[in-house]
Amino acid sequence: MAKTRPPYPPEFRRQMVELVRAGRSPEELAQEFEPTAQSIRNWVGQAECDVGRGGNGLTTAEREELNQLRRENRPNTPSMSRKHLPAAVPVSIGCSVAFRTAPRARTVRTMS
């Protein structure tokens, strides 16, 4: 299983982005500091989006808003389950009883 660690502080990320913009490569920074080169490239790309230079992606504020909306609209939240469960349980019980008691239609195969 992969090791997990707390996210890097925003100030550290900003410093890494500034070092890349100053001419250092993400690979150099990855050897000197802890984050991977890909993480540093991701931070640079996100910073570009945030200032309007990256055309393919959401800004940090847009991403936060999207995550908030997804949390609010998540269908399997406990509050929704409790809210809809009492009405749904009798229907599912009734359906299963109806299917158990209904005779099964049999098909007869003839040999040709």
Side-chain angles (χ1 to χ4, degrees):
M1 195 162 154
K3 291 189 285 184
T4 59
R5 61 168 313 286
Y8 292 98
E11 183 57 36
F12 178 77
R13 292 179 185 209
R14 278 191 289 276
Q15 290 173 351
M16 292 293 112
V17 169
E18 291 304 319
L19 288 171
V20 170
R21 288 179 178 162
R24 306 262 318 258
S25 75
E27 289 76 16
E28 289 176 38
L29 295 171
Q31 288 177 356
E32 187 175 338
F33 300 100
E34 190 176 327
T36 64
Q38 184 59 51
S39 292
I40 296 169
R41 280 191 288 274
N42 292 345
W43 298 340
V44 171
Q46 186 63 53
E48 295 293 318
C49 283
D50 287 346
V51 295
R53 288 188 291 219
N56 298 334
L58 299 174
T59 65
T60 301
E62 291 169 336
R63 186 170 305 281
E64 288 173 1
E65 181 183 6
L66 180 61
N67 287 335
Q68 176 66 29
L69 292 170
R70 284 180 175 161
R71 275 192 299 275
E72 290 172 5
N73 291 318
R74 191 172 292 147
N76 293 326
T77 59
S79 62
M80 287 185 70
S81 296
R82 284 192 303 268
K83 181 178 173 183
H84 298 292
L85 184 61
V89 170
V91 171
S92 63
I93 292 172
C95 290
S96 63
V97 170
F99 285 123
R100 263 198 316 256
T101 58
R104 242 178 99 177
R106 297 184 181 237
T107 58
V108 178
R109 291 187 184 188
T110 59
M111 298 180 103
S112 0

PDB file of all heavy atoms in Angstrom, residues 2-38:
ATOM      1  N   ALA A   2       0.495   2.245  -0.747  1.00  0.00           N
ATOM      2  CA  ALA A   2       1.285   3.460  -0.869  1.00  0.00           C
ATOM      3  C   ALA A   2       1.265   4.252   0.431  1.00  0.00           C
ATOM      4  O   ALA A   2       0.284   4.243   1.165  1.00  0.00           O
ATOM      5  CB  ALA A   2       0.750   4.312  -2.006  1.00  0.00           C
ATOM      6  N   LYS A   3       2.392   4.921   0.677  1.00  0.00           N
ATOM      7  CA  LYS A   3       2.448   5.786   1.857  1.00  0.00           C
ATOM      8  C   LYS A   3       1.617   7.034   1.596  1.00  0.00           C
ATOM      9  O   LYS A   3       1.601   7.551   0.492  1.00  0.00           O
ATOM     10  CB  LYS A   3       3.878   6.201   2.141  1.00  0.00           C
ATOM     11  CG  LYS A   3       4.767   5.077   2.608  1.00  0.00           C
ATOM     12  CD  LYS A   3       6.107   5.597   3.069  1.00  0.00           C
ATOM     13  CE  LYS A   3       6.960   5.981   1.890  1.00  0.00           C
ATOM     14  NZ  LYS A   3       8.308   6.412   2.249  1.00  0.00           N
ATOM     15  N   THR A   4       0.947   7.483   2.606  1.00  0.00           N
ATOM     16  CA  THR A   4       0.199   8.730   2.493  1.00  0.00           C
ATOM     17  C   THR A   4       0.813   9.736   3.451  1.00  0.00           C
ATOM     18  O   THR A   4       1.367   9.368   4.483  1.00  0.00           O
ATOM     19  CB  THR A   4      -1.289   8.540   2.826  1.00  0.00           C
ATOM     20  OG1 THR A   4      -1.387   8.046   4.153  1.00  0.00           O
ATOM     21  CG2 THR A   4      -1.951   7.579   1.867  1.00  0.00           C
ATOM     22  N   ARG A   5       0.730  10.969   3.084  1.00  0.00           N
ATOM     23  CA  ARG A   5       1.250  12.028   3.931  1.00  0.00           C
ATOM     24  C   ARG A   5       0.307  13.212   3.822  1.00  0.00           C
ATOM     25  O   ARG A   5      -0.450  13.298   2.858  1.00  0.00           O
ATOM     26  CB  ARG A   5       2.670  12.413   3.524  1.00  0.00           C
ATOM     27  CG  ARG A   5       2.804  12.944   2.129  1.00  0.00           C
ATOM     28  CD  ARG A   5       4.142  13.582   1.825  1.00  0.00           C
ATOM     29  NE  ARG A   5       4.660  14.514   2.778  1.00  0.00           N
ATOM     30  CZ  ARG A   5       4.212  15.748   2.962  1.00  0.00           C
ATOM     31  NH1 ARG A   5       3.209  16.201   2.261  1.00  0.00           N
ATOM     32  NH2 ARG A   5       4.759  16.546   3.851  1.00  0.00           N
ATOM     33  N   PRO A   6       0.356  14.111   4.784  1.00  0.00           N
ATOM     34  CA  PRO A   6      -0.501  15.290   4.695  1.00  0.00           C
ATOM     35  C   PRO A   6      -0.126  16.129   3.475  1.00  0.00           C
ATOM     36  O   PRO A   6       1.013  16.076   3.005  1.00  0.00           O
ATOM     37  CB  PRO A   6      -0.215  16.057   5.984  1.00  0.00           C
ATOM     38  CG  PRO A   6       0.629  15.197   6.824  1.00  0.00           C
ATOM     39  CD  PRO A   6       1.149  14.080   5.992  1.00  0.00           C
ATOM     40  N   PRO A   7      -1.064  16.893   2.939  1.00  0.00           N
ATOM     41  CA  PRO A   7      -0.748  17.728   1.779  1.00  0.00           C
ATOM     42  C   PRO A   7       0.335  18.748   2.123  1.00  0.00           C
ATOM     43  O   PRO A   7       0.466  19.178   3.265  1.00  0.00           O
ATOM     44  CB  PRO A   7      -2.058  18.427   1.452  1.00  0.00           C
ATOM     45  CG  PRO A   7      -3.071  17.930   2.393  1.00  0.00           C
ATOM     46  CD  PRO A   7      -2.432  17.007   3.365  1.00  0.00           C
ATOM     47  N   TYR A   8       1.107  19.104   1.102  1.00  0.00           N
ATOM     48  CA  TYR A   8       2.126  20.129   1.297  1.00  0.00           C
ATOM     49  C   TYR A   8       1.437  21.471   1.525  1.00  0.00           C
ATOM     50  O   TYR A   8       0.408  21.759   0.915  1.00  0.00           O
ATOM     51  CB  TYR A   8       3.042  20.208   0.078  1.00  0.00           C
ATOM     52  CG  TYR A   8       3.900  18.983  -0.077  1.00  0.00           C
ATOM     53  CD1 TYR A   8       3.542  17.973  -0.955  1.00  0.00           C
ATOM     54  CD2 TYR A   8       5.071  18.838   0.663  1.00  0.00           C
ATOM     55  CE1 TYR A   8       4.321  16.839  -1.093  1.00  0.00           C
ATOM     56  CE2 TYR A   8       5.859  17.711   0.529  1.00  0.00           C
ATOM     57  CZ  TYR A   8       5.486  16.717  -0.347  1.00  0.00           C
ATOM     58  OH  TYR A   8       6.256  15.593  -0.467  1.00  0.00           O
ATOM     59  N   PRO A   9       2.018  22.316   2.374  1.00  0.00           N
ATOM     60  CA  PRO A   9       1.412  23.629   2.628  1.00  0.00           C
ATOM     61  C   PRO A   9       1.382  24.485   1.357  1.00  0.00           C
ATOM     62  O   PRO A   9       2.273  24.372   0.510  1.00  0.00           O
ATOM     63  CB  PRO A   9       2.339  24.263   3.671  1.00  0.00           C
ATOM     64  CG  PRO A   9       3.177  23.158   4.207  1.00  0.00           C
ATOM     65  CD  PRO A   9       3.220  22.087   3.177  1.00  0.00           C
ATOM     66  N   PRO A  10       0.383  25.341   1.228  1.00  0.00           N
ATOM     67  CA  PRO A  10       0.284  26.195   0.039  1.00  0.00           C
ATOM     68  C   PRO A  10       1.530  27.047  -0.198  1.00  0.00           C
ATOM     69  O   PRO A  10       1.937  27.246  -1.338  1.00  0.00           O
ATOM     70  CB  PRO A  10      -0.938  27.068   0.312  1.00  0.00           C
ATOM     71  CG  PRO A  10      -1.735  26.310   1.307  1.00  0.00           C
ATOM     72  CD  PRO A  10      -0.762  25.515   2.116  1.00  0.00           C
ATOM     73  N   GLU A  11       2.152  27.528   0.866  1.00  0.00           N
ATOM     74  CA  GLU A  11       3.346  28.360   0.699  1.00  0.00           C
ATOM     75  C   GLU A  11       4.491  27.559   0.092  1.00  0.00           C
ATOM     76  O   GLU A  11       5.221  28.042  -0.776  1.00  0.00           O
ATOM     77  CB  GLU A  11       3.769  28.967   2.046  1.00  0.00           C
ATOM     78  CG  GLU A  11       4.956  29.892   1.961  1.00  0.00           C
ATOM     79  CD  GLU A  11       4.744  31.051   0.994  1.00  0.00           C
ATOM     80  OE1 GLU A  11       3.620  31.557   0.894  1.00  0.00           O
ATOM     81  OE2 GLU A  11       5.718  31.445   0.328  1.00  0.00           O
ATOM     82  N   PHE A  12       4.654  26.317   0.502  1.00  0.00           N
ATOM     83  CA  PHE A  12       5.689  25.445  -0.059  1.00  0.00           C
ATOM     84  C   PHE A  12       5.424  25.209  -1.541  1.00  0.00           C
ATOM     85  O   PHE A  12       6.338  25.261  -2.367  1.00  0.00           O
ATOM     86  CB  PHE A  12       5.721  24.118   0.708  1.00  0.00           C
ATOM     87  CG  PHE A  12       6.722  23.135   0.166  1.00  0.00           C
ATOM     88  CD1 PHE A  12       8.069  23.276   0.434  1.00  0.00           C
ATOM     89  CD2 PHE A  12       6.303  22.068  -0.610  1.00  0.00           C
ATOM     90  CE1 PHE A  12       8.996  22.363  -0.059  1.00  0.00           C
ATOM     91  CE2 PHE A  12       7.211  21.155  -1.115  1.00  0.00           C
ATOM     92  CZ  PHE A  12       8.565  21.300  -0.834  1.00  0.00           C
ATOM     93  N   ARG A  13       4.157  24.974  -1.881  1.00  0.00           N
ATOM     94  CA  ARG A  13       3.792  24.772  -3.293  1.00  0.00           C
ATOM     95  C   ARG A  13       4.118  26.023  -4.116  1.00  0.00           C
ATOM     96  O   ARG A  13       4.647  25.926  -5.227  1.00  0.00           O
ATOM     97  CB  ARG A  13       2.307  24.445  -3.419  1.00  0.00           C
ATOM     98  CG  ARG A  13       1.937  23.104  -2.837  1.00  0.00           C
ATOM     99  CD  ARG A  13       0.451  22.889  -2.977  1.00  0.00           C
ATOM    100  NE  ARG A  13       0.028  21.669  -2.322  1.00  0.00           N
ATOM    101  CZ  ARG A  13      -1.008  20.949  -2.703  1.00  0.00           C
ATOM    102  NH1 ARG A  13      -1.746  21.338  -3.725  1.00  0.00           N
ATOM    103  NH2 ARG A  13      -1.334  19.863  -2.066  1.00  0.00           N
ATOM    104  N   ARG A  14       3.777  27.193  -3.563  1.00  0.00           N
ATOM    105  CA  ARG A  14       4.064  28.446  -4.278  1.00  0.00           C
ATOM    106  C   ARG A  14       5.568  28.615  -4.509  1.00  0.00           C
ATOM    107  O   ARG A  14       6.001  29.036  -5.584  1.00  0.00           O
ATOM    108  CB  ARG A  14       3.515  29.644  -3.499  1.00  0.00           C
ATOM    109  CG  ARG A  14       2.027  29.894  -3.736  1.00  0.00           C
ATOM    110  CD  ARG A  14       1.588  31.231  -3.159  1.00  0.00           C
ATOM    111  NE  ARG A  14       1.562  31.241  -1.700  1.00  0.00           N
ATOM    112  CZ  ARG A  14       0.539  30.794  -0.973  1.00  0.00           C
ATOM    113  NH1 ARG A  14      -0.531  30.311  -1.568  1.00  0.00           N
ATOM    114  NH2 ARG A  14       0.586  30.830   0.342  1.00  0.00           N
ATOM    115  N   GLN A  15       6.366  28.248  -3.498  1.00  0.00           N
ATOM    116  CA  GLN A  15       7.816  28.360  -3.649  1.00  0.00           C
ATOM    117  C   GLN A  15       8.328  27.427  -4.746  1.00  0.00           C
ATOM    118  O   GLN A  15       9.191  27.807  -5.542  1.00  0.00           O
ATOM    119  CB  GLN A  15       8.511  28.040  -2.324  1.00  0.00           C
ATOM    120  CG  GLN A  15       8.310  29.096  -1.265  1.00  0.00           C
ATOM    121  CD  GLN A  15       8.871  28.677   0.079  1.00  0.00           C
ATOM    122  OE1 GLN A  15       9.269  27.537   0.285  1.00  0.00           O
ATOM    123  NE2 GLN A  15       8.903  29.626   1.008  1.00  0.00           N
ATOM    124  N   MET A  16       7.793  26.217  -4.816  1.00  0.00           N
ATOM    125  CA  MET A  16       8.207  25.273  -5.861  1.00  0.00           C
ATOM    126  C   MET A  16       7.825  25.813  -7.248  1.00  0.00           C
ATOM    127  O   MET A  16       8.618  25.733  -8.189  1.00  0.00           O
ATOM    128  CB  MET A  16       7.553  23.904  -5.658  1.00  0.00           C
ATOM    129  CG  MET A  16       8.019  23.148  -4.436  1.00  0.00           C
ATOM    130  SD  MET A  16       9.728  22.638  -4.563  1.00  0.00           S
ATOM    131  CE  MET A  16      10.452  23.651  -3.305  1.00  0.00           C
ATOM    132  N   VAL A  17       6.642  26.386  -7.362  1.00  0.00           N
ATOM    133  CA  VAL A  17       6.195  26.958  -8.636  1.00  0.00           C
ATOM    134  C   VAL A  17       7.121  28.100  -9.044  1.00  0.00           C
ATOM    135  O   VAL A  17       7.537  28.198 -10.208  1.00  0.00           O
ATOM    136  CB  VAL A  17       4.722  27.426  -8.553  1.00  0.00           C
ATOM    137  CG1 VAL A  17       4.330  28.255  -9.761  1.00  0.00           C
ATOM    138  CG2 VAL A  17       3.799  26.226  -8.391  1.00  0.00           C
ATOM    139  N   GLU A  18       7.473  28.942  -8.098  1.00  0.00           N
ATOM    140  CA  GLU A  18       8.365  30.065  -8.401  1.00  0.00           C
ATOM    141  C   GLU A  18       9.739  29.576  -8.832  1.00  0.00           C
ATOM    142  O   GLU A  18      10.353  30.149  -9.737  1.00  0.00           O
ATOM    143  CB  GLU A  18       8.481  31.010  -7.194  1.00  0.00           C
ATOM    144  CG  GLU A  18       7.202  31.774  -6.901  1.00  0.00           C
ATOM    145  CD  GLU A  18       6.702  32.572  -8.095  1.00  0.00           C
ATOM    146  OE1 GLU A  18       7.526  33.196  -8.806  1.00  0.00           O
ATOM    147  OE2 GLU A  18       5.486  32.552  -8.340  1.00  0.00           O
ATOM    148  N   LEU A  19      10.238  28.523  -8.217  1.00  0.00           N
ATOM    149  CA  LEU A  19      11.536  27.976  -8.610  1.00  0.00           C
ATOM    150  C   LEU A  19      11.495  27.412 -10.033  1.00  0.00           C
ATOM    151  O   LEU A  19      12.453  27.567 -10.797  1.00  0.00           O
ATOM    152  CB  LEU A  19      11.988  26.903  -7.617  1.00  0.00           C
ATOM    153  CG  LEU A  19      12.424  27.424  -6.242  1.00  0.00           C
ATOM    154  CD1 LEU A  19      12.644  26.274  -5.280  1.00  0.00           C
ATOM    155  CD2 LEU A  19      13.681  28.276  -6.372  1.00  0.00           C
ATOM    156  N   VAL A  20      10.383  26.777 -10.393  1.00  0.00           N
ATOM    157  CA  VAL A  20      10.246  26.267 -11.766  1.00  0.00           C
ATOM    158  C   VAL A  20      10.187  27.438 -12.736  1.00  0.00           C
ATOM    159  O   VAL A  20      10.829  27.419 -13.793  1.00  0.00           O
ATOM    160  CB  VAL A  20       9.001  25.360 -11.897  1.00  0.00           C
ATOM    161  CG1 VAL A  20       8.712  25.043 -13.356  1.00  0.00           C
ATOM    162  CG2 VAL A  20       9.188  24.082 -11.103  1.00  0.00           C
ATOM    163  N   ARG A  21       9.443  28.459 -12.398  1.00  0.00           N
ATOM    164  CA  ARG A  21       9.353  29.646 -13.272  1.00  0.00           C
ATOM    165  C   ARG A  21      10.704  30.358 -13.392  1.00  0.00           C
ATOM    166  O   ARG A  21      10.978  31.006 -14.395  1.00  0.00           O
ATOM    167  CB  ARG A  21       8.297  30.609 -12.749  1.00  0.00           C
ATOM    168  CG  ARG A  21       6.895  30.109 -12.955  1.00  0.00           C
ATOM    169  CD  ARG A  21       5.871  31.067 -12.407  1.00  0.00           C
ATOM    170  NE  ARG A  21       4.517  30.584 -12.652  1.00  0.00           N
ATOM    171  CZ  ARG A  21       3.445  31.014 -12.016  1.00  0.00           C
ATOM    172  NH1 ARG A  21       3.555  31.960 -11.099  1.00  0.00           N
ATOM    173  NH2 ARG A  21       2.259  30.520 -12.298  1.00  0.00           N
ATOM    174  N   ALA A  22      11.552  30.226 -12.359  1.00  0.00           N
ATOM    175  CA  ALA A  22      12.871  30.845 -12.389  1.00  0.00           C
ATOM    176  C   ALA A  22      13.868  30.023 -13.206  1.00  0.00           C
ATOM    177  O   ALA A  22      14.998  30.458 -13.401  1.00  0.00           O
ATOM    178  CB  ALA A  22      13.383  31.028 -10.965  1.00  0.00           C
ATOM    179  N   GLY A  23      13.458  28.830 -13.654  1.00  0.00           N
ATOM    180  CA  GLY A  23      14.336  28.075 -14.528  1.00  0.00           C
ATOM    181  C   GLY A  23      14.749  26.699 -14.028  1.00  0.00           C
ATOM    182  O   GLY A  23      15.376  25.946 -14.767  1.00  0.00           O
ATOM    183  N   ARG A  24      14.426  26.360 -12.800  1.00  0.00           N
ATOM    184  CA  ARG A  24      14.781  25.028 -12.285  1.00  0.00           C
ATOM    185  C   ARG A  24      13.792  24.011 -12.825  1.00  0.00           C
ATOM    186  O   ARG A  24      12.619  24.301 -13.044  1.00  0.00           O
ATOM    187  CB  ARG A  24      14.710  25.008 -10.751  1.00  0.00           C
ATOM    188  CG  ARG A  24      15.520  26.063 -10.047  1.00  0.00           C
ATOM    189  CD  ARG A  24      16.873  25.653  -9.532  1.00  0.00           C
ATOM    190  NE  ARG A  24      17.010  24.383  -8.904  1.00  0.00           N
ATOM    191  CZ  ARG A  24      17.072  24.177  -7.589  1.00  0.00           C
ATOM    192  NH1 ARG A  24      16.935  25.178  -6.761  1.00  0.00           N
ATOM    193  NH2 ARG A  24      17.265  22.968  -7.122  1.00  0.00           N
ATOM    194  N   SER A  25      14.252  22.797 -13.058  1.00  0.00           N
ATOM    195  CA  SER A  25      13.358  21.758 -13.582  1.00  0.00           C
ATOM    196  C   SER A  25      12.664  21.046 -12.418  1.00  0.00           C
ATOM    197  O   SER A  25      13.221  20.964 -11.313  1.00  0.00           O
ATOM    198  CB  SER A  25      14.132  20.747 -14.419  1.00  0.00           C
ATOM    199  OG  SER A  25      14.888  19.894 -13.589  1.00  0.00           O
ATOM    200  N   PRO A  26      11.464  20.517 -12.652  1.00  0.00           N
ATOM    201  CA  PRO A  26      10.785  19.755 -11.590  1.00  0.00           C
ATOM    202  C   PRO A  26      11.606  18.549 -11.123  1.00  0.00           C
ATOM    203  O   PRO A  26      11.569  18.198  -9.949  1.00  0.00           O
ATOM    204  CB  PRO A  26       9.482  19.316 -12.258  1.00  0.00           C
ATOM    205  CG  PRO A  26       9.232  20.336 -13.312  1.00  0.00           C
ATOM    206  CD  PRO A  26      10.595  20.715 -13.808  1.00  0.00           C
ATOM    207  N   GLU A  27      12.379  17.960 -12.029  1.00  0.00           N
ATOM    208  CA  GLU A  27      13.207  16.805 -11.657  1.00  0.00           C
ATOM    209  C   GLU A  27      14.290  17.207 -10.655  1.00  0.00           C
ATOM    210  O   GLU A  27      14.555  16.496  -9.686  1.00  0.00           O
ATOM    211  CB  GLU A  27      13.833  16.169 -12.901  1.00  0.00           C
ATOM    212  CG  GLU A  27      12.840  15.430 -13.778  1.00  0.00           C
ATOM    213  CD  GLU A  27      11.946  16.337 -14.619  1.00  0.00           C
ATOM    214  OE1 GLU A  27      12.261  17.541 -14.778  1.00  0.00           O
ATOM    215  OE2 GLU A  27      10.919  15.839 -15.102  1.00  0.00           O
ATOM    216  N   GLU A  28      14.933  18.366 -10.896  1.00  0.00           N
ATOM    217  CA  GLU A  28      15.943  18.871  -9.959  1.00  0.00           C
ATOM    218  C   GLU A  28      15.329  19.104  -8.583  1.00  0.00           C
ATOM    219  O   GLU A  28      15.902  18.721  -7.556  1.00  0.00           O
ATOM    220  CB  GLU A  28      16.512  20.206 -10.444  1.00  0.00           C
ATOM    221  CG  GLU A  28      17.401  20.177 -11.636  1.00  0.00           C
ATOM    222  CD  GLU A  28      17.784  21.602 -12.033  1.00  0.00           C
ATOM    223  OE1 GLU A  28      18.005  22.458 -11.142  1.00  0.00           O
ATOM    224  OE2 GLU A  28      17.834  21.852 -13.242  1.00  0.00           O
ATOM    225  N   LEU A  29      14.183  19.761  -8.589  1.00  0.00           N
ATOM    226  CA  LEU A  29      13.519  20.082  -7.321  1.00  0.00           C
ATOM    227  C   LEU A  29      13.068  18.826  -6.598  1.00  0.00           C
ATOM    228  O   LEU A  29      13.118  18.753  -5.367  1.00  0.00           O
ATOM    229  CB  LEU A  29      12.342  21.021  -7.571  1.00  0.00           C
ATOM    230  CG  LEU A  29      12.717  22.402  -8.114  1.00  0.00           C
ATOM    231  CD1 LEU A  29      11.478  23.158  -8.531  1.00  0.00           C
ATOM    232  CD2 LEU A  29      13.517  23.177  -7.091  1.00  0.00           C
ATOM    233  N   ALA A  30      12.642  17.813  -7.359  1.00  0.00           N
ATOM    234  CA  ALA A  30      12.201  16.564  -6.745  1.00  0.00           C
ATOM    235  C   ALA A  30      13.364  15.855  -6.056  1.00  0.00           C
ATOM    236  O   ALA A  30      13.181  15.217  -5.008  1.00  0.00           O
ATOM    237  CB  ALA A  30      11.580  15.649  -7.797  1.00  0.00           C
ATOM    238  N   GLN A  31      14.564  15.960  -6.628  1.00  0.00           N
ATOM    239  CA  GLN A  31      15.725  15.338  -5.986  1.00  0.00           C
ATOM    240  C   GLN A  31      16.141  16.094  -4.732  1.00  0.00           C
ATOM    241  O   GLN A  31      16.564  15.492  -3.749  1.00  0.00           O
ATOM    242  CB  GLN A  31      16.898  15.285  -6.963  1.00  0.00           C
ATOM    243  CG  GLN A  31      16.705  14.273  -8.064  1.00  0.00           C
ATOM    244  CD  GLN A  31      17.844  14.285  -9.070  1.00  0.00           C
ATOM    245  OE1 GLN A  31      18.748  15.114  -8.987  1.00  0.00           O
ATOM    246  NE2 GLN A  31      17.786  13.367 -10.024  1.00  0.00           N
ATOM    247  N   GLU A  32      15.996  17.401  -4.766  1.00  0.00           N
ATOM    248  CA  GLU A  32      16.421  18.229  -3.640  1.00  0.00           C
ATOM    249  C   GLU A  32      15.390  18.245  -2.517  1.00  0.00           C
ATOM    250  O   GLU A  32      15.742  18.266  -1.339  1.00  0.00           O
ATOM    251  CB  GLU A  32      16.681  19.658  -4.133  1.00  0.00           C
ATOM    252  CG  GLU A  32      17.292  20.554  -3.093  1.00  0.00           C
ATOM    253  CD  GLU A  32      17.646  21.914  -3.659  1.00  0.00           C
ATOM    254  OE1 GLU A  32      17.817  22.054  -4.878  1.00  0.00           O
ATOM    255  OE2 GLU A  32      17.728  22.855  -2.846  1.00  0.00           O
ATOM    256  N   PHE A  33      14.106  18.253  -2.893  1.00  0.00           N
ATOM    257  CA  PHE A  33      13.035  18.301  -1.907  1.00  0.00           C
ATOM    258  C   PHE A  33      12.237  17.007  -1.977  1.00  0.00           C
ATOM    259  O   PHE A  33      12.535  16.130  -2.771  1.00  0.00           O
ATOM    260  CB  PHE A  33      12.126  19.518  -2.164  1.00  0.00           C
ATOM    261  CG  PHE A  33      12.869  20.824  -2.085  1.00  0.00           C
ATOM    262  CD1 PHE A  33      13.278  21.471  -3.246  1.00  0.00           C
ATOM    263  CD2 PHE A  33      13.178  21.392  -0.866  1.00  0.00           C
ATOM    264  CE1 PHE A  33      13.974  22.675  -3.186  1.00  0.00           C
ATOM    265  CE2 PHE A  33      13.862  22.590  -0.790  1.00  0.00           C
ATOM    266  CZ  PHE A  33      14.269  23.238  -1.952  1.00  0.00           C
ATOM    267  N   GLU A  34      11.212  16.873  -1.212  1.00  0.00           N
ATOM    268  CA  GLU A  34      10.471  15.606  -1.108  1.00  0.00           C
ATOM    269  C   GLU A  34       9.448  15.330  -2.206  1.00  0.00           C
ATOM    270  O   GLU A  34       9.292  14.184  -2.605  1.00  0.00           O
ATOM    271  CB  GLU A  34       9.774  15.564   0.265  1.00  0.00           C
ATOM    272  CG  GLU A  34       9.190  14.217   0.592  1.00  0.00           C
ATOM    273  CD  GLU A  34       8.602  14.202   1.972  1.00  0.00           C
ATOM    274  OE1 GLU A  34       9.099  14.877   2.871  1.00  0.00           O
ATOM    275  OE2 GLU A  34       7.604  13.493   2.143  1.00  0.00           O
ATOM    276  N   PRO A  35       8.695  16.297  -2.725  1.00  0.00           N
ATOM    277  CA  PRO A  35       7.638  15.943  -3.676  1.00  0.00           C
ATOM    278  C   PRO A  35       8.201  15.389  -4.984  1.00  0.00           C
ATOM    279  O   PRO A  35       9.344  15.652  -5.352  1.00  0.00           O
ATOM    280  CB  PRO A  35       6.900  17.251  -3.920  1.00  0.00           C
ATOM    281  CG  PRO A  35       7.794  18.321  -3.434  1.00  0.00           C
ATOM    282  CD  PRO A  35       8.746  17.721  -2.467  1.00  0.00           C
ATOM    283  N   THR A  36       7.367  14.631  -5.672  1.00  0.00           N
ATOM    284  CA  THR A  36       7.780  14.069  -6.952  1.00  0.00           C
ATOM    285  C   THR A  36       7.769  15.154  -8.027  1.00  0.00           C
ATOM    286  O   THR A  36       7.111  16.192  -7.873  1.00  0.00           O
ATOM    287  CB  THR A  36       6.836  12.934  -7.385  1.00  0.00           C
ATOM    288  OG1 THR A  36       5.532  13.488  -7.604  1.00  0.00           O
ATOM    289  CG2 THR A  36       6.776  11.821  -6.345  1.00  0.00           C
ATOM    290  N   ALA A  37       8.487  14.881  -9.108  1.00  0.00           N
ATOM    291  CA  ALA A  37       8.523  15.836 -10.214  1.00  0.00           C
ATOM    292  C   ALA A  37       7.128  16.035 -10.795  1.00  0.00           C
ATOM    293  O   ALA A  37       6.750  17.149 -11.172  1.00  0.00           O
ATOM    294  CB  ALA A  37       9.493  15.349 -11.293  1.00  0.00           C
ATOM    295  N   GLN A  38       6.341  14.951 -10.856  1.00  0.00           N
ATOM    296  CA  GLN A  38       4.982  15.075 -11.396  1.00  0.00           C
ATOM    297  C   GLN A  38       4.117  15.956 -10.509  1.00  0.00           C
ATOM    298  O   GLN A  38       3.317  16.749 -10.996  1.00  0.00           O
ATOM    299  CB  GLN A  38       4.338  13.697 -11.569  1.00  0.00           C
ATOM    300  CG  GLN A  38       2.974  13.747 -12.220  1.00  0.00           C
ATOM    301  CD  GLN A  38       3.014  14.373 -13.604  1.00  0.00           C
ATOM    302  OE1 GLN A  38       3.816  13.967 -14.433  1.00  0.00           O
ATOM    303  NE2 GLN A  38       2.168  15.361 -13.858  1.00  0.00           N
TER     304      GLN A  38
END
